[in-house]
Each structure stands twice: as structure tokens, then as C-alpha cells.
Amino acid sequence: MVDASQIREHATVVGSDGGHVGTVDHVGKGEIKLTKSDAGAGGLHHYIPLDFVIAVEGDQVRLNRSADEVKKEWSTSGAA
């Protein structure tokens, strides 16, 4: 598992296929909260588990699933 402290706000999140997933708003409680202002967010915050992260390279967070797969699995409500 990747060290969550390496993930920076406003980093770009991409799927394993290189497809854009979103932009990091915040990291906490085992998940990444994506900005709601991102083009594909539809005005909602989306949350993805930190378990999806396979690498952090500078200002890019790479996931272990394609962008489409992530978008099928993300949620609009964070962890309790």
C-alpha cells in the first residue's frame, strides 16, 4: 500500500489506462476525496479507497483499475 502522506491536494488521479479520474481534494479515513469542480465530477465530491492507489509520482496518483472501472465503484458519500 502507498503511503497516503505522499498524496498531495490538487494532484491528478488517473486510472491504470491513463484515463483521467479526478483531482485530489483531501485524503483521510482510508480514502481520497476528489474535487467536485473537476470536469467529470458533475458537481459532486467522489470518494475512492486508498487501496486503489498503486503509485504516487509527483503530482499524479495512479490507480490499479481503469478510469471507467473506478467511476463505476466510487461513491458520493465518504466513510463514516
Side-chain angles (χ1 to χ4, degrees):
M1 186 172 179
V2 173
D3 180 2
S5 70
Q6 295 178 321
I7 302 172
R8 303 283 179 227
E9 287 184 15
H10 307 293
T12 301
V13 181
V14 297
S16 58
D17 58 350
H20 182 80
V21 173
T23 304
V24 175
D25 183 48
H26 180 75
V27 178
K29 296 185 181 178
E31 62 191 8
I32 299 171
K33 177 182 176 183
L34 301 176
T35 61
K36 64 182 179 180
S37 60
D38 196 81
L44 299 171
H45 287 291
H46 290 90
Y47 300 83
I48 55 174
L50 283 173
D51 291 347
F52 286 13
V53 178
I54 56 171
V56 178
E57 299 168 347
D59 287 335
Q60 187 176 81
V61 178
R62 290 185 334 147
L63 306 178
N64 63 3
R65 316 173 143 66
S66 71
D68 285 341
E69 290 174 311
V70 173
K71 291 175 183 180
K72 289 177 185 174
E73 296 182 50
W74 66 11
S75 72
T76 55
S77 59

